[in-house]
Amino acid sequence: MTRAESDAPDHLQTAPAPADPAPAPEGARHGSSTARRFRPHAVADGLKVSASWTARSIVVLAGLVILWYVTGALWSVVLPTLFALLLASVLWPVNRVLRMILPRVLASLLTLLGFIGVVLGIGALTLPTIASGITELTILAQRNVRDMVELVSGLPLDLDSANLDRVVDTALNQLQSNVGNIVSGITTGLSELTSGTIVVLLTLVFTFFFLKDGDRFMPWASRWTNSTAYRHAAMIANGTWKALSSYIVAQATVALVDAVFIGLGLVLLDIPLAVPLAVLVFFSAFIPVVGAVVSGLLATAVAFLAYGWVSALIVLGLVVLVQQLESNFIQPLLVGRTLEIHPAVVLASVTAGGTLFGIVGAFLAVPTTAVVIVVLQYLREQSIEKNPAIESPEDDFDGTAAAGAPA
């Protein structure tokens, strides 16, 4: 330090320049492994965590397998219960309105009897037209197929008209001779459906009790659980009921729109079996994706047999137009974001349910998937640590803020 610097005031004196840092080792400058800290227990800790989660997964899987076998053993009771829950979710708004003017028991009974009356009315309107419709379709198909054979015979193709006539006559004779078998097959199917009287009666009885005492189940369940378990069960039950109600009401409305417009088009085109096809479109709409495709193709095939490919193309265009209308406008408007399931998940669930349980499994696949999604969403919300400073305490379990809460 010079003399001038030593005589300067303290606040004007400059600090000595820092010494140059020692050069880092060559390996550290280039990020080699010699400059990193080695954790000898990392592999052991990873194996411990993996083993813990594997053991838990095995326990959960064993529980699911046991539940699967118990459900299969009690399927005669489980199936009516599931049907009754879905049916009660549809009838609940009507039951709630009737409760305002009638006692609880009478309101539930009138709601259920009204539903039974609607179903019997649809059956009385549909069943008598099936046999006559098949006969009419057979006659029209004979004429239409002969016209197509004559058209093909007139084309400059190397086809033997006699062979074509022989094939057509054989096919038409088989179809005509099997009309009785088709009708008897339908009757047999209806008789087999009637043989499930126990399932139908249990469904109706359970539906009545769900309509009558459904809002009392959770308070009754609170007697057998503690406050924490009851709170979780109540939240999941409330979310499940809302999801099922939204899905069933939306699908019923969509199915009604499809059946009315497609059925009206079939009637205007004078297609045989128009009313039974409209009823089939309504019920098949409860099986997403697959049901709409099957019912649309069946209506197109009937139109083709009756009047040829022009009518078939018109019916196909009508089916595609109506289904695009309901899938792009009606269903999003009704369901919104209450039950948003990706189409791939819907198709996978319907395929899995149909493979495991047939048409019943395909019908119950999407509602079951909706319930599973509700439970997973609730578990996810419970696993996220909320900050009171930024999260509203009135948040719903699906993560949406309550009305009036700050965004």
Side-chain angles (χ1 to χ4, degrees):
M1 180 180 296
T2 62
R3 180 179 180 84
E5 291 174 345
S6 61
D7 292 340
D10 293 339
H11 66 279
L12 295 179
Q13 292 183 4
T14 59
D20 293 337
E26 186 67 22
R29 287 201 304 267
H30 294 286
S32 65
S33 59
T34 57
R36 299 174 184 175
R37 182 179 178 184
F38 180 72
R39 297 178 56 199
H41 300 290
V43 177
D45 292 340
L47 290 176
K48 184 186 300 184
V49 173
S50 300
S52 175
W53 279 106
T54 301
R56 296 175 183 177
S57 301
I58 292 175
V59 172
V60 172
L61 182 60
L64 292 176
V65 171
I66 294 174
L67 180 62
W68 175 273
Y69 282 104
V70 171
T71 302
L74 301 176
W75 187 244
S76 59
V77 177
V78 173
L79 182 61
T81 304
L82 295 177
F83 284 156
L85 281 173
L86 296 177
L87 185 57
S89 66
V90 176
L91 300 178
W92 185 258
V94 178
N95 180 61
R96 183 170 52 190
V97 172
L98 292 178
R99 278 188 181 186
M100 298 179 182
I101 56 177
L102 296 174
R104 182 187 296 264
V105 177
L106 187 57
S108 303
L109 185 60
L110 285 180
T111 303
L112 187 59
L113 290 178
F115 169 77
I116 295 174
V118 171
V119 173
L120 292 179
I122 294 175
L125 180 64
T126 304
L127 292 180
T129 63
I130 293 179
S132 60
I134 292 177
T135 303
E136 181 184 1
L137 178 61
T138 303
I139 297 174
L140 292 174
Q142 289 178 347
R143 299 174 183 173
N144 183 40
V145 173
R146 290 188 183 279
D147 292 339
M148 287 190 294
V149 169
E150 293 177 359
L151 178 63
V152 173
S153 300
L155 295 176
L157 299 175
D158 188 14
L159 295 176
D160 189 356
S161 178
N163 292 333
L164 287 174
D165 290 338
R166 191 179 305 110
V167 172
V168 171
D169 290 338
T170 303
L172 292 178
N173 290 332
Q174 290 291 330
L175 179 62
Q176 201 166 17
S177 62
N178 288 326
V179 169
N181 295 333
I182 294 174
V183 175
S184 63
I186 295 174
T187 307
T188 304
L190 293 176
S191 64
E192 291 179 358
L193 181 62
T194 308
S195 64
T197 306
I198 296 178
V199 175
V200 174
L201 291 179
L202 283 178
T203 300
L204 295 177
V205 171
F206 288 165
T207 302
F208 170 76
F209 284 116
F210 288 157
L211 294 174
K212 174 178 173 291
D213 299 321
D215 52 347
R216 296 178 177 177
F217 285 167
M218 291 308 301
W220 173 81
S222 64
R223 305 174 186 176
W224 308 94
T225 57
N226 54 32
S227 58
T228 302
Y230 173 74
R231 181 175 64 86
H232 293 306
M235 292 294 292
I236 293 177
N238 184 41
T240 299
W241 181 259
K242 289 181 179 180
L244 288 178
S245 300
S246 299
Y247 170 75
I248 294 298
V249 172
Q251 285 300 118
T253 306
V254 168
L256 183 61
V257 171
D258 288 350
V260 168
F261 284 99
I262 294 177
L264 183 61
L266 295 177
V267 170
L268 293 177
L269 292 172
D270 196 22
I271 303 297
L273 300 171
V275 175
L277 285 174
V279 174
L280 178 63
V281 168
F282 176 80
F283 286 106
S284 63
F286 286 93
I287 304 176
V289 183
V290 178
V293 173
V294 172
S295 61
L297 291 178
L298 182 58
T300 304
V302 171
F304 177 77
L305 288 175
Y307 298 113
W309 61 271
V310 176
S311 297
L313 289 179
I314 294 175
V315 172
L316 181 61
L318 174 65
V319 171
V320 172
L321 179 62
V322 172
Q323 291 178 356
Q324 288 298 315
L325 175 65
E326 57 91 357
S327 62
N328 292 318
F329 295 99
I330 300 176
Q331 195 166 14
L333 180 63
L334 293 174
V335 182
R337 296 186 177 274
T338 304
L339 184 61
E340 192 172 274
I341 305 177
H342 194 276
V345 178
V346 172
L347 184 58
S349 62
V350 170
T351 304
T355 303
L356 295 174
F357 298 103
I359 190 171
V360 175
F363 172 73
L364 297 175
V366 178
T368 304
T369 304
V371 173
V372 172
I373 290 177
V374 168
V375 175
L376 293 178
Q377 285 179 343
Y378 182 75
L379 294 177
R380 174 184 174 275
E381 291 299 322
Q382 293 299 311
S383 63
I384 295 177
E385 183 179 0
K386 297 182 178 181
N387 189 345
I390 59 176
E391 293 283 348
S392 171
E394 298 179 354
D395 285 356
D396 295 328
F397 78 89
D398 59 353
T400 56

